[in-house]
Amino acid sequence: MHDKTIGVVGAGQMGAGIAQVSATRGFEVLLYDVDEEALNRALDRIKGSLEKLSGKGTLSEEEKRDALGRIRTATSLKSCKDAFCVIEAAPENAALKKEIFHQLGEMVHADAILASNTSSISITLLASVTAHPERVAGMHFMNPVPLMKLVEGIRGLQTSEETFLKVKALAQHLGKEFIEAKDAPGFVVNRILAPMINEAIYAYSEGLATAEDIDKGMMLGTNQPMGPLTLADYVGLDVILAVLEVLHEGFGDPKYRPAPLLRQYVTAGWLGRKSGRGFYQY
Ligand code: CAA
């Protein structure tokens, strides 16, 4: 096992951010995705973010270069087999994540940690498909990962104390604040954030106010850095819908019912910033 190597599975916004902070903090990173193009886009995104940080003086030129030099990409999951920790950041699809965890469980070393960055899917479920469920935990980063200070740690039913303490230590080593959550739909942050965004979408679809005024109201009225509709576009409307579906199904409570307009936007491919259109045009 390479004690300094972190495997990151999935090269979307979150995977790229996790790879970036891991490399910046001195770890070797293996960024895996099935899609070569996604890996190239992730590297561009990481370079752009590191440029911004070094432009602001948060990172030196040397630190930026070293961080980039520590990131390798791969299109075979097997390349993660020697990592001491693999952080999964694949799309929010339980079947896909289960398949990834099953495969990872077969290939990593006996004391490697398997962590999921899932926004809401049960860690107990993901752990259940692995050979060593006690070594699985949730490690939920926030978007944009290089700027957001929080990691939410989630204990599955089977997660051992040793595993959880290692995940906590790793998050702190990555410069993040840590909170502990139980394994329940949405954990802490999305349990509270997703219903707020959903309510903003209901309000918008009822014509209560314009998108701009809903966002302005929440920004100026409650000091949020982005209004809820802008934040939904930023995170991805498909991600918000997936989280709400997990809350709705998991609790069986109609208060989590996704706004029909959200579902319609996702069906139309209006996913927010990443597709060029959501509640706003980009
Ligand atoms: N890397 C490096 N620097 C970045 C960056 C990135 N990825 N993104 C933005 N920046 C920099 C910008 O260049 C800018 O730098 P200057 O101050 O030098 O101009 C600075 O950060 C501020 O950016 P902006 O001026 O573009 O915008 P902002 O002031 O609104 O800050 C923000 C951006 C930090 C994202 C802020 O809007 C914010 O905190 N928004 C809320 C984000 C949030 O709530 N995230 C959680 C989402 S929920 C989640 O992730 C969980 C889930 O499972 C769905």
Side-chain angles (χ1 to χ4, degrees), residues 170-220:
L170 176 59
Q172 288 169 337
H173 194 95
L174 295 178
K176 304 298 183 189
E177 294 288 331
F178 190 81
I179 61 169
E180 297 188 22
K182 288 190 177 139
D183 187 22
F187 318 127
V188 169
V189 172
N190 280 327
R191 167 85 173 263
I192 297 166
L193 180 67
M196 186 199 67
I197 289 176
N198 200 33
E199 199 58 34
I201 300 171
Y202 273 114
Y204 173 66
S205 65
E206 287 165 13
L208 180 70
T210 61
E212 288 79 2
D213 276 0
I214 289 171
D215 279 346
K216 190 171 168 184
M218 295 308 286
M219 286 172 72
L220 302 186

Side-chain angles (χ1 to χ4, degrees), residues 42-122:
L43 287 179
D44 284 346
R45 190 192 291 268
I46 292 168
K47 277 180 203 149
S49 177
L50 289 171
E51 284 296 338
K52 279 185 193 166
L53 295 171
S54 75
K56 275 198 234 167
T58 315
L59 278 184
S60 69
E61 272 299 311
E62 195 184 356
E63 285 168 326
K64 182 184 83 180
R65 217 182 29 246
D66 289 351
L68 275 174
R70 290 191 198 103
I71 302 175
R72 282 174 295 148
T73 60
T75 51
S76 159
L77 192 59
K78 279 227 171 66
S79 55
C80 292
K81 72 178 175 38
D82 288 326
F84 77 94
C85 175
V86 181
I87 306 174
E88 169 275 320
E92 282 300 282
N93 172 325
L96 172 67
K97 285 183 192 278
K98 277 166 72 181
E99 180 55 30
I100 290 168
F101 271 82
H102 174 67
Q103 288 186 34
L104 286 171
E106 301 286 301
M107 66 179 71
V108 295
H109 290 262
D111 51 353
I113 302 286
L114 298 180
S116 176
N117 177 58
T118 179
S119 313
S120 57
I121 293 169
S122 162

Side-chain angles (χ1 to χ4, degrees), residues 14 17 20 45-46 48-53 55-56 92 117-120 140-148 152 189-190 193-194 197 219 224-227 230-231 234-236 239-240 243 273:
M14 299 304 287
Q20 179 184 329
R45 190 192 291 268
I46 292 168
S49 177
L50 289 171
E51 284 296 338
K52 279 185 193 166
L53 295 171
K56 275 198 234 167
E92 282 300 282
N117 177 58
T118 179
S119 313
S120 57
H140 183 210
F141 292 78
M142 306 293 136
N143 190 10
V145 180
L147 300 187
M148 301 296 287
E152 193 174 20
V189 172
N190 280 327
L193 180 67
I197 289 176
M219 286 172 72
Q224 298 185 24
M226 280 176 171
T230 302
L231 181 58
Y234 186 75
V235 169
V239 175
I240 301 294
V243 173
R273 221 174 251 245

